[in-house]
PDB file of all heavy atoms in Angstrom:
ATOM      1  N   PRO J 583     136.123 253.105  81.265  1.00 97.00           N
ATOM      2  CA  PRO J 583     135.240 252.069  80.747  1.00 97.00           C
ATOM      3  C   PRO J 583     133.766 252.485  80.684  1.00 97.00           C
ATOM      4  O   PRO J 583     132.970 251.860  80.020  1.00 97.00           O
ATOM      5  CB  PRO J 583     135.423 250.908  81.713  1.00 97.00           C
ATOM      6  CG  PRO J 583     135.851 251.542  82.993  1.00 97.00           C
ATOM      7  CD  PRO J 583     136.622 252.763  82.606  1.00 97.00           C
ATOM      8  N   LEU J 584     133.416 253.578  81.354  1.00 97.00           N
ATOM      9  CA  LEU J 584     132.054 254.105  81.254  1.00 97.00           C
ATOM     10  C   LEU J 584     132.083 255.379  80.431  1.00 97.00           C
ATOM     11  O   LEU J 584     132.993 256.190  80.564  1.00 97.00           O
ATOM     12  CB  LEU J 584     131.483 254.411  82.648  1.00 97.00           C
ATOM     13  CG  LEU J 584     131.460 253.255  83.646  1.00 97.00           C
ATOM     14  CD1 LEU J 584     130.979 253.744  85.007  1.00 97.00           C
ATOM     15  CD2 LEU J 584     130.611 252.120  83.144  1.00 97.00           C
ATOM     16  N   PHE J 585     131.078 255.550  79.577  1.00 97.00           N
ATOM     17  CA  PHE J 585     130.967 256.756  78.764  1.00 97.00           C
ATOM     18  C   PHE J 585     129.507 257.173  78.747  1.00 97.00           C
ATOM     19  O   PHE J 585     128.638 256.399  78.346  1.00 97.00           O
ATOM     20  CB  PHE J 585     131.446 256.510  77.330  1.00 97.00           C
ATOM     21  CG  PHE J 585     131.295 257.702  76.436  1.00 97.00           C
ATOM     22  CD1 PHE J 585     132.268 258.683  76.409  1.00 97.00           C
ATOM     23  CD2 PHE J 585     130.175 257.854  75.619  1.00 97.00           C
ATOM     24  CE1 PHE J 585     132.145 259.795  75.584  1.00 97.00           C
ATOM     25  CE2 PHE J 585     130.042 258.957  74.802  1.00 97.00           C
ATOM     26  CZ  PHE J 585     131.018 259.928  74.788  1.00 97.00           C
ATOM     27  N   TYR J 586     129.230 258.384  79.207  1.00 97.00           N
ATOM     28  CA  TYR J 586     127.871 258.925  79.223  1.00 97.00           C
ATOM     29  C   TYR J 586     127.850 260.196  78.392  1.00 97.00           C
ATOM     30  O   TYR J 586     128.766 261.013  78.472  1.00 97.00           O
ATOM     31  CB  TYR J 586     127.429 259.273  80.645  1.00 97.00           C
ATOM     32  CG  TYR J 586     127.404 258.124  81.621  1.00 97.00           C
ATOM     33  CD1 TYR J 586     127.456 258.373  82.982  1.00 97.00           C
ATOM     34  CD2 TYR J 586     127.298 256.808  81.206  1.00 97.00           C
ATOM     35  CE1 TYR J 586     127.409 257.336  83.905  1.00 97.00           C
ATOM     36  CE2 TYR J 586     127.257 255.770  82.124  1.00 97.00           C
ATOM     37  CZ  TYR J 586     127.312 256.036  83.465  1.00 97.00           C
ATOM     38  OH  TYR J 586     127.273 255.018  84.374  1.00 97.00           O
ATOM     39  N   ALA J 587     126.787 260.366  77.599  1.00 97.00           N
ATOM     40  CA  ALA J 587     126.634 261.588  76.809  1.00 97.00           C
ATOM     41  C   ALA J 587     125.185 262.038  76.862  1.00 97.00           C
ATOM     42  O   ALA J 587     124.258 261.242  77.045  1.00 97.00           O
ATOM     43  CB  ALA J 587     127.066 261.366  75.357  1.00 97.00           C
ATOM     44  N   ARG J 588     124.994 263.334  76.698  1.00 97.00           N
ATOM     45  CA  ARG J 588     123.657 263.944  76.630  1.00 97.00           C
ATOM     46  C   ARG J 588     123.413 264.321  75.185  1.00 97.00           C
ATOM     47  O   ARG J 588     124.174 265.105  74.607  1.00 97.00           O
ATOM     48  CB  ARG J 588     123.605 265.184  77.528  1.00 97.00           C
ATOM     49  CG  ARG J 588     122.287 265.890  77.505  1.00 97.00           C
ATOM     50  CD  ARG J 588     121.269 265.078  78.265  1.00 97.00           C
ATOM     51  NE  ARG J 588     119.957 265.649  78.053  1.00 97.00           N
ATOM     52  CZ  ARG J 588     118.844 264.974  78.173  1.00 97.00           C
ATOM     53  NH1 ARG J 588     118.869 263.720  78.529  1.00 97.00           N
ATOM     54  NH2 ARG J 588     117.699 265.550  77.966  1.00 97.00           N
ATOM     55  N   LEU J 589     122.371 263.743  74.587  1.00 96.00           N
ATOM     56  CA  LEU J 589     122.066 263.981  73.177  1.00 96.00           C
ATOM     57  C   LEU J 589     120.578 264.268  73.018  1.00 96.00           C
ATOM     58  O   LEU J 589     119.750 263.727  73.753  1.00 96.00           O
ATOM     59  CB  LEU J 589     122.428 262.750  72.340  1.00 96.00           C
ATOM     60  CG  LEU J 589     123.886 262.292  72.412  1.00 96.00           C
ATOM     61  CD1 LEU J 589     124.041 260.915  71.784  1.00 96.00           C
ATOM     62  CD2 LEU J 589     124.793 263.303  71.738  1.00 96.00           C
ATOM     63  N   GLU J 590     120.253 265.087  72.036  1.00 95.00           N
ATOM     64  CA  GLU J 590     118.845 265.302  71.701  1.00 95.00           C
ATOM     65  C   GLU J 590     118.275 264.002  71.141  1.00 95.00           C
ATOM     66  O   GLU J 590     119.013 263.203  70.555  1.00 95.00           O
ATOM     67  CB  GLU J 590     118.716 266.401  70.643  1.00 95.00           C
ATOM     68  CG  GLU J 590     119.080 267.774  71.125  1.00 95.00           C
ATOM     69  CD  GLU J 590     118.926 268.810  70.014  1.00 95.00           C
ATOM     70  OE1 GLU J 590     118.701 268.446  68.840  1.00 95.00           O
ATOM     71  OE2 GLU J 590     119.031 269.994  70.337  1.00 95.00           O
ATOM     72  N   PRO J 591     116.971 263.785  71.293  1.00 95.00           N
ATOM     73  CA  PRO J 591     116.380 262.585  70.700  1.00 95.00           C
ATOM     74  C   PRO J 591     116.649 262.539  69.192  1.00 95.00           C
ATOM     75  O   PRO J 591     116.666 263.565  68.513  1.00 95.00           O
ATOM     76  CB  PRO J 591     114.882 262.754  70.982  1.00 95.00           C
ATOM     77  CG  PRO J 591     114.840 263.614  72.215  1.00 95.00           C
ATOM     78  CD  PRO J 591     115.997 264.561  72.061  1.00 95.00           C
ATOM     79  N   GLY J 592     116.907 261.344  68.684  1.00 95.00           N
ATOM     80  CA  GLY J 592     117.170 261.174  67.264  1.00 95.00           C
ATOM     81  C   GLY J 592     117.965 259.914  66.998  1.00 95.00           C
ATOM     82  O   GLY J 592     118.223 259.102  67.885  1.00 95.00           O
ATOM     83  N   LEU J 593     118.367 259.773  65.741  1.00 96.00           N
ATOM     84  CA  LEU J 593     119.107 258.611  65.265  1.00 96.00           C
ATOM     85  C   LEU J 593     120.593 258.954  65.174  1.00 96.00           C
ATOM     86  O   LEU J 593     120.959 259.975  64.578  1.00 96.00           O
ATOM     87  CB  LEU J 593     118.564 258.190  63.905  1.00 96.00           C
ATOM     88  CG  LEU J 593     118.949 256.827  63.374  1.00 96.00           C
ATOM     89  CD1 LEU J 593     118.502 255.713  64.315  1.00 96.00           C
ATOM     90  CD2 LEU J 593     118.341 256.626  61.990  1.00 96.00           C
ATOM     91  N   TYR J 594     121.441 258.092  65.747  1.00 97.00           N
ATOM     92  CA  TYR J 594     122.880 258.346  65.823  1.00 97.00           C
ATOM     93  C   TYR J 594     123.670 257.105  65.421  1.00 97.00           C
ATOM     94  O   TYR J 594     123.182 255.978  65.565  1.00 97.00           O
ATOM     95  CB  TYR J 594     123.296 258.710  67.258  1.00 97.00           C
ATOM     96  CG  TYR J 594     122.741 260.005  67.752  1.00 97.00           C
ATOM     97  CD1 TYR J 594     121.478 260.074  68.333  1.00 97.00           C
ATOM     98  CD2 TYR J 594     123.475 261.182  67.656  1.00 97.00           C
ATOM     99  CE1 TYR J 594     120.962 261.272  68.793  1.00 97.00           C
ATOM    100  CE2 TYR J 594     122.972 262.388  68.128  1.00 97.00           C
ATOM    101  CZ  TYR J 594     121.717 262.419  68.692  1.00 97.00           C
ATOM    102  OH  TYR J 594     121.217 263.605  69.156  1.00 97.00           O
ATOM    103  N   ARG J 595     124.890 257.335  64.967  1.00 97.00           N
ATOM    104  CA  ARG J 595     125.855 256.264  64.771  1.00 97.00           C
ATOM    105  C   ARG J 595     126.995 256.514  65.746  1.00 97.00           C
ATOM    106  O   ARG J 595     127.609 257.570  65.731  1.00 97.00           O
ATOM    107  CB  ARG J 595     126.403 256.231  63.351  1.00 97.00           C
ATOM    108  CG  ARG J 595     127.413 255.086  63.159  1.00 97.00           C
ATOM    109  CD  ARG J 595     127.967 254.999  61.749  1.00 97.00           C
ATOM    110  NE  ARG J 595     126.895 254.786  60.804  1.00 97.00           N
ATOM    111  CZ  ARG J 595     126.592 255.634  59.797  1.00 97.00           C
ATOM    112  NH1 ARG J 595     127.284 256.736  59.615  1.00 97.00           N
ATOM    113  NH2 ARG J 595     125.603 255.378  58.981  1.00 97.00           N
ATOM    114  N   VAL J 596     127.252 255.526  66.605  1.00 98.00           N
ATOM    115  CA  VAL J 596     128.338 255.618  67.575  1.00 98.00           C
ATOM    116  C   VAL J 596     129.470 254.723  67.097  1.00 98.00           C
ATOM    117  O   VAL J 596     129.251 253.540  66.808  1.00 98.00           O
ATOM    118  CB  VAL J 596     127.873 255.157  68.985  1.00 98.00           C
ATOM    119  CG1 VAL J 596     129.034 255.168  69.959  1.00 98.00           C
ATOM    120  CG2 VAL J 596     126.735 256.021  69.481  1.00 98.00           C
ATOM    121  N   SER J 597     130.667 255.290  67.000  1.00 98.00           N
ATOM    122  CA  SER J 597     131.862 254.520  66.646  1.00 98.00           C
ATOM    123  C   SER J 597     132.825 254.591  67.818  1.00 98.00           C
ATOM    124  O   SER J 597     133.200 255.687  68.251  1.00 98.00           O
ATOM    125  CB  SER J 597     132.528 255.085  65.393  1.00 98.00           C
ATOM    126  OG  SER J 597     131.659 254.999  64.291  1.00 98.00           O
ATOM    127  N   ALA J 598     133.211 253.413  68.309  1.00 98.00           N
ATOM    128  CA  ALA J 598     134.141 253.327  69.431  1.00 98.00           C
ATOM    129  C   ALA J 598     135.352 252.522  68.962  1.00 98.00           C
ATOM    130  O   ALA J 598     135.197 251.416  68.438  1.00 98.00           O
ATOM    131  CB  ALA J 598     133.482 252.658  70.622  1.00 98.00           C
ATOM    132  N   THR J 599     136.539 253.076  69.163  1.00 98.00           N
ATOM    133  CA  THR J 599     137.765 252.422  68.716  1.00 98.00           C
ATOM    134  C   THR J 599     138.632 252.069  69.920  1.00 98.00           C
ATOM    135  O   THR J 599     138.918 252.929  70.750  1.00 98.00           O
ATOM    136  CB  THR J 599     138.560 253.344  67.770  1.00 98.00           C
ATOM    137  OG1 THR J 599     137.715 253.742  66.687  1.00 98.00           O
ATOM    138  CG2 THR J 599     139.795 252.637  67.228  1.00 98.00           C
ATOM    139  N   TYR J 600     139.041 250.795  69.972  1.00 98.00           N
ATOM    140  CA  TYR J 600     139.942 250.325  71.012  1.00 98.00           C
ATOM    141  C   TYR J 600     141.052 249.523  70.347  1.00 98.00           C
ATOM    142  O   TYR J 600     140.782 248.532  69.665  1.00 98.00           O
ATOM    143  CB  TYR J 600     139.196 249.464  72.034  1.00 98.00           C
ATOM    144  CG  TYR J 600     140.103 248.902  73.103  1.00 98.00           C
ATOM    145  CD1 TYR J 600     140.636 249.725  74.091  1.00 98.00           C
ATOM    146  CD2 TYR J 600     140.445 247.556  73.111  1.00 98.00           C
ATOM    147  CE1 TYR J 600     141.478 249.216  75.070  1.00 98.00           C
ATOM    148  CE2 TYR J 600     141.281 247.045  74.090  1.00 98.00           C
ATOM    149  CZ  TYR J 600     141.798 247.877  75.061  1.00 98.00           C
ATOM    150  OH  TYR J 600     142.644 247.378  76.019  1.00 98.00           O
ATOM    151  N   GLU J 601     142.277 249.974  70.530  1.00 97.00           N
ATOM    152  CA  GLU J 601     143.458 249.331  69.959  1.00 97.00           C
ATOM    153  C   GLU J 601     143.269 249.029  68.474  1.00 97.00           C
ATOM    154  O   GLU J 601     143.568 247.928  68.004  1.00 97.00           O
ATOM    155  CB  GLU J 601     143.828 248.075  70.751  1.00 97.00           C
ATOM    156  CG  GLU J 601     144.283 248.378  72.158  1.00 97.00           C
ATOM    157  CD  GLU J 601     144.779 247.154  72.919  1.00 97.00           C
ATOM    158  OE1 GLU J 601     144.551 246.006  72.473  1.00 97.00           O
ATOM    159  OE2 GLU J 601     145.400 247.373  73.980  1.00 97.00           O
ATOM    160  N   GLY J 602     142.738 249.990  67.734  1.00 97.00           N
ATOM    161  CA  GLY J 602     142.576 249.877  66.288  1.00 97.00           C
ATOM    162  C   GLY J 602     141.343 249.130  65.830  1.00 97.00           C
ATOM    163  O   GLY J 602     141.046 249.091  64.640  1.00 97.00           O
ATOM    164  N   VAL J 603     140.599 248.519  66.738  1.00 97.00           N
ATOM    165  CA  VAL J 603     139.381 247.778  66.383  1.00 97.00           C
ATOM    166  C   VAL J 603     138.180 248.674  66.643  1.00 97.00           C
ATOM    167  O   VAL J 603     137.991 249.180  67.746  1.00 97.00           O
ATOM    168  CB  VAL J 603     139.262 246.473  67.207  1.00 97.00           C
ATOM    169  CG1 VAL J 603     137.972 245.739  66.868  1.00 97.00           C
ATOM    170  CG2 VAL J 603     140.469 245.587  66.976  1.00 97.00           C
ATOM    171  N   VAL J 604     137.367 248.868  65.590  1.00 97.00           N
ATOM    172  CA  VAL J 604     136.221 249.780  65.663  1.00 97.00           C
ATOM    173  C   VAL J 604     134.927 248.990  65.816  1.00 97.00           C
ATOM    174  O   VAL J 604     134.692 248.022  65.091  1.00 97.00           O
ATOM    175  CB  VAL J 604     136.138 250.663  64.395  1.00 97.00           C
ATOM    176  CG1 VAL J 604     134.951 251.612  64.476  1.00 97.00           C
ATOM    177  CG2 VAL J 604     137.426 251.420  64.174  1.00 97.00           C
ATOM    178  N   ARG J 605     134.115 249.416  66.754  1.00 96.00           N
ATOM    179  CA  ARG J 605     132.750 248.904  66.903  1.00 96.00           C
ATOM    180  C   ARG J 605     131.821 250.064  66.551  1.00 96.00           C
ATOM    181  O   ARG J 605     131.947 251.153  67.112  1.00 96.00           O
ATOM    182  CB  ARG J 605     132.468 248.459  68.334  1.00 96.00           C
ATOM    183  CG  ARG J 605     133.267 247.287  68.781  1.00 96.00           C
ATOM    184  CD  ARG J 605     132.621 245.995  68.261  1.00 96.00           C
ATOM    185  NE  ARG J 605     133.338 244.848  68.732  1.00 96.00           N
ATOM    186  CZ  ARG J 605     134.183 244.143  67.979  1.00 96.00           C
ATOM    187  NH1 ARG J 605     134.422 244.500  66.749  1.00 96.00           N
ATOM    188  NH2 ARG J 605     134.776 243.084  68.460  1.00 96.00           N
ATOM    189  N   THR J 606     130.900 249.800  65.616  1.00 97.00           N
ATOM    190  CA  THR J 606     129.956 250.840  65.198  1.00 97.00           C
ATOM    191  C   THR J 606     128.548 250.335  65.464  1.00 97.00           C
ATOM    192  O   THR J 606     128.223 249.188  65.169  1.00 97.00           O
ATOM    193  CB  THR J 606     130.134 251.162  63.697  1.00 97.00           C
ATOM    194  OG1 THR J 606     131.480 251.579  63.488  1.00 97.00           O
ATOM    195  CG2 THR J 606     129.193 252.266  63.263  1.00 97.00           C
ATOM    196  N   LYS J 607     127.735 251.224  66.021  1.00 97.00           N
ATOM    197  CA  LYS J 607     126.364 250.855  66.364  1.00 97.00           C
ATOM    198  C   LYS J 607     125.448 252.023  66.038  1.00 97.00           C
ATOM    199  O   LYS J 607     125.739 253.159  66.389  1.00 97.00           O
ATOM    200  CB  LYS J 607     126.279 250.522  67.838  1.00 97.00           C
ATOM    201  CG  LYS J 607     124.916 250.080  68.290  1.00 97.00           C
ATOM    202  CD  LYS J 607     125.050 249.053  69.378  1.00 97.00           C
ATOM    203  CE  LYS J 607     123.735 248.430  69.729  1.00 97.00           C
ATOM    204  NZ  LYS J 607     123.431 247.248  68.998  1.00 97.00           N
ATOM    205  N   THR J 608     124.355 251.741  65.357  1.00 97.00           N
ATOM    206  CA  THR J 608     123.336 252.751  65.105  1.00 97.00           C
ATOM    207  C   THR J 608     122.322 252.649  66.237  1.00 97.00           C
ATOM    208  O   THR J 608     121.834 251.563  66.552  1.00 97.00           O
ATOM    209  CB  THR J 608     122.655 252.526  63.745  1.00 97.00           C
ATOM    210  OG1 THR J 608     123.656 252.576  62.721  1.00 97.00           O
ATOM    211  CG2 THR J 608     121.597 253.586  63.476  1.00 97.00           C
ATOM    212  N   ILE J 609     122.038 253.796  66.844  1.00 97.00           N
ATOM    213  CA  ILE J 609     121.154 253.823  68.009  1.00 97.00           C
ATOM    214  C   ILE J 609     120.099 254.910  67.853  1.00 97.00           C
ATOM    215  O   ILE J 609     120.281 255.856  67.097  1.00 97.00           O
ATOM    216  CB  ILE J 609     121.942 254.063  69.316  1.00 97.00           C
ATOM    217  CG1 ILE J 609     122.623 255.431  69.287  1.00 97.00           C
ATOM    218  CG2 ILE J 609     122.954 252.961  69.553  1.00 97.00           C
ATOM    219  CD1 ILE J 609     123.159 255.885  70.621  1.00 97.00           C
ATOM    220  N   ARG J 610     119.025 254.742  68.566  1.00 97.00           N
ATOM    221  CA  ARG J 610     117.979 255.768  68.628  1.00 97.00           C
ATOM    222  C   ARG J 610     117.890 256.259  70.067  1.00 97.00           C
ATOM    223  O   ARG J 610     117.676 255.471  70.983  1.00 97.00           O
ATOM    224  CB  ARG J 610     116.638 255.232  68.169  1.00 97.00           C
ATOM    225  CG  ARG J 610     115.523 256.283  68.239  1.00 97.00           C
ATOM    226  CD  ARG J 610     114.223 255.815  67.641  1.00 97.00           C
ATOM    227  NE  ARG J 610     114.341 255.350  66.279  1.00 97.00           N
ATOM    228  CZ  ARG J 610     114.393 256.134  65.183  1.00 97.00           C
ATOM    229  NH1 ARG J 610     114.359 257.433  65.327  1.00 97.00           N
ATOM    230  NH2 ARG J 610     114.487 255.622  63.983  1.00 97.00           N
ATOM    231  N   ILE J 611     118.046 257.557  70.232  1.00 96.00           N
ATOM    232  CA  ILE J 611     117.866 258.169  71.540  1.00 96.00           C
ATOM    233  C   ILE J 611     116.419 258.634  71.614  1.00 96.00           C
ATOM    234  O   ILE J 611     115.980 259.450  70.804  1.00 96.00           O
ATOM    235  CB  ILE J 611     118.813 259.372  71.756  1.00 96.00           C
ATOM    236  CG1 ILE J 611     120.277 258.939  71.685  1.00 96.00           C
ATOM    237  CG2 ILE J 611     118.507 260.071  73.071  1.00 96.00           C
ATOM    238  CD1 ILE J 611     120.738 258.071  72.819  1.00 96.00           C
ATOM    239  N   GLY J 612     115.692 258.073  72.551  1.00 94.00           N
ATOM    240  CA  GLY J 612     114.303 258.452  72.758  1.00 94.00           C
ATOM    241  C   GLY J 612     114.113 258.943  74.172  1.00 94.00           C
ATOM    242  O   GLY J 612     115.057 259.359  74.840  1.00 94.00           O
ATOM    243  N   ALA J 613     112.892 258.853  74.648  1.00 90.00           N
ATOM    244  CA  ALA J 613     112.570 259.348  75.989  1.00 90.00           C
ATOM    245  C   ALA J 613     113.339 258.594  77.078  1.00 90.00           C
ATOM    246  O   ALA J 613     113.734 259.180  78.076  1.00 90.00           O
ATOM    247  CB  ALA J 613     111.072 259.226  76.230  1.00 90.00           C
ATOM    248  N   LYS J 614     113.564 257.297  76.877  1.00 91.00           N
ATOM    249  CA  LYS J 614     114.257 256.508  77.891  1.00 91.00           C
ATOM    250  C   LYS J 614     115.771 256.513  77.720  1.00 91.00           C
ATOM    251  O   LYS J 614     116.476 256.006  78.574  1.00 91.00           O
ATOM    252  CB  LYS J 614     113.763 255.063  77.852  1.00 91.00           C
ATOM    253  CG  LYS J 614     112.338 254.910  78.310  1.00 91.00           C
ATOM    254  CD  LYS J 614     111.960 253.455  78.350  1.00 91.00           C
ATOM    255  CE  LYS J 614     110.535 253.283  78.821  1.00 91.00           C
ATOM    256  NZ  LYS J 614     110.150 251.882  78.905  1.00 91.00           N
ATOM    257  N   GLY J 615     116.265 257.008  76.618  1.00 94.00           N
ATOM    258  CA  GLY J 615     117.696 256.987  76.385  1.00 94.00           C
ATOM    259  C   GLY J 615     118.149 255.643  75.859  1.00 94.00           C
ATOM    260  O   GLY J 615     117.341 254.815  75.425  1.00 94.00           O
ATOM    261  N   PHE J 616     119.452 255.409  75.918  1.00 96.00           N
ATOM    262  CA  PHE J 616     120.035 254.183  75.385  1.00 96.00           C
ATOM    263  C   PHE J 616     121.184 253.759  76.291  1.00 96.00           C
ATOM    264  O   PHE J 616     122.034 254.573  76.637  1.00 96.00           O
ATOM    265  CB  PHE J 616     120.550 254.414  73.959  1.00 96.00           C
ATOM    266  CG  PHE J 616     121.067 253.180  73.295  1.00 96.00           C
ATOM    267  CD1 PHE J 616     120.220 252.344  72.603  1.00 96.00           C
ATOM    268  CD2 PHE J 616     122.405 252.845  73.379  1.00 96.00           C
ATOM    269  CE1 PHE J 616     120.698 251.192  71.994  1.00 96.00           C
ATOM    270  CE2 PHE J 616     122.900 251.708  72.779  1.00 96.00           C
ATOM    271  CZ  PHE J 616     122.047 250.880  72.086  1.00 96.00           C
ATOM    272  N   GLU J 617     121.203 252.473  76.648  1.00 96.00           N
ATOM    273  CA  GLU J 617     122.249 251.950  77.510  1.00 96.00           C
ATOM    274  C   GLU J 617     122.679 250.583  77.002  1.00 96.00           C
ATOM    275  O   GLU J 617     121.826 249.730  76.746  1.00 96.00           O
ATOM    276  CB  GLU J 617     121.745 251.839  78.948  1.00 96.00           C
ATOM    277  CG  GLU J 617     122.806 251.484  79.934  1.00 96.00           C
ATOM    278  CD  GLU J 617     122.358 251.693  81.380  1.00 96.00           C
ATOM    279  OE1 GLU J 617     121.337 252.355  81.616  1.00 96.00           O
ATOM    280  OE2 GLU J 617     123.061 251.195  82.260  1.00 96.00           O
ATOM    281  N   GLU J 618     123.998 250.384  76.857  1.00 96.00           N
ATOM    282  CA  GLU J 618     124.490 249.104  76.341  1.00 96.00           C
ATOM    283  C   GLU J 618     125.967 248.934  76.673  1.00 96.00           C
ATOM    284  O   GLU J 618     126.680 249.915  76.893  1.00 96.00           O
ATOM    285  CB  GLU J 618     124.301 249.020  74.822  1.00 96.00           C
ATOM    286  CG  GLU J 618     124.618 247.653  74.267  1.00 96.00           C
ATOM    287  CD  GLU J 618     124.109 247.468  72.853  1.00 96.00           C
ATOM    288  OE1 GLU J 618     122.954 247.841  72.567  1.00 96.00           O
ATOM    289  OE2 GLU J 618     124.880 246.968  72.024  1.00 96.00           O
ATOM    290  N   THR J 619     126.410 247.679  76.666  1.00 96.00           N
ATOM    291  CA  THR J 619     127.825 247.358  76.808  1.00 96.00           C
ATOM    292  C   THR J 619     128.340 246.923  75.447  1.00 96.00           C
ATOM    293  O   THR J 619     127.718 246.079  74.799  1.00 96.00           O
ATOM    294  CB  THR J 619     128.056 246.238  77.844  1.00 96.00           C
ATOM    295  OG1 THR J 619     127.566 246.693  79.113  1.00 96.00           O
ATOM    296  CG2 THR J 619     129.524 245.898  77.971  1.00 96.00           C
TER     297      THR J 619
END
């Protein structure tokens, strides 16, 4: 249920699929990073 990744700063699209249902979120990784449920 937890997922952590190390990414260079920039703009990303994260796609997470659970039981065929996809959640897509565009995020910006900056100096503070990004954290969300």
